[in-house]
Amino acid sequence: MSDSFERGVALFNRRAYFDSHEVWEDLWNGAEAREKKFLGALIQMAAALHVRFERSGGRGTRNLLVQALTALEDYRPTHHGVDVERLYAELAAYTERVEQ
């Protein structure tokens, strides 16, 4: 996609969830509809994990994760080099843990 997208991925993988959210949000602002949905899912995922680990969020985390999962369904198995199938499976498993 772009260097900014890759920077967001690198930040996310380093668990800098808020920072990855910010990078992807900047991209989201100028994206076309289909890309907005994908970036929106990543933004929701990053926001959920930020809330979970930085603010001990419960229900808010779960709601953001479910919204991200719903949006990611349309991008399986891969999109822009992201293994969405794997991401979806890991996010779904994590969502179940949060719900418990």
Side-chain angles (χ1 to χ4, degrees):
M1 195 173 197
S2 70
D3 290 340
S4 293
F5 179 78
E6 294 297 327
R7 188 170 69 248
V9 170
L11 288 164
F12 183 86
N13 288 339
R14 287 195 308 259
R15 298 182 180 174
Y17 302 123
F18 182 80
D19 294 335
S20 65
H21 168 281
E22 293 294 303
V23 169
W24 289 330
E25 190 171 51
D26 286 344
L27 287 172
W28 181 87
N29 284 323
E32 62 182 53
R34 177 153 169 79
E35 293 308 313
K36 266 192 181 212
K37 185 176 177 184
F38 179 69
L39 290 166
L42 299 181
I43 291 164
Q44 289 170 322
M45 177 182 63
L49 294 175
H50 172 72
V51 168
R52 177 73 172 168
F53 294 114
E54 299 299 323
R55 300 183 184 172
S56 301
R59 185 181 305 150
T61 297
R62 182 224 171 259
N63 291 344
L64 286 166
L65 290 171
V66 168
Q67 291 171 9
L69 284 167
T70 300
L72 285 173
E73 287 177 359
D74 293 338
Y75 299 93
R76 292 158 88 176
T78 62
H79 191 70
H80 290 305
V82 175
D83 185 348
V84 177
E85 194 68 41
R86 180 178 172 194
L87 176 62
Y88 187 94
E90 290 179 5
L91 205 55
Y94 186 70
T95 302
E96 285 183 33
R97 288 198 313 258
V98 168
E99 289 175 338
Q100 294 172 358

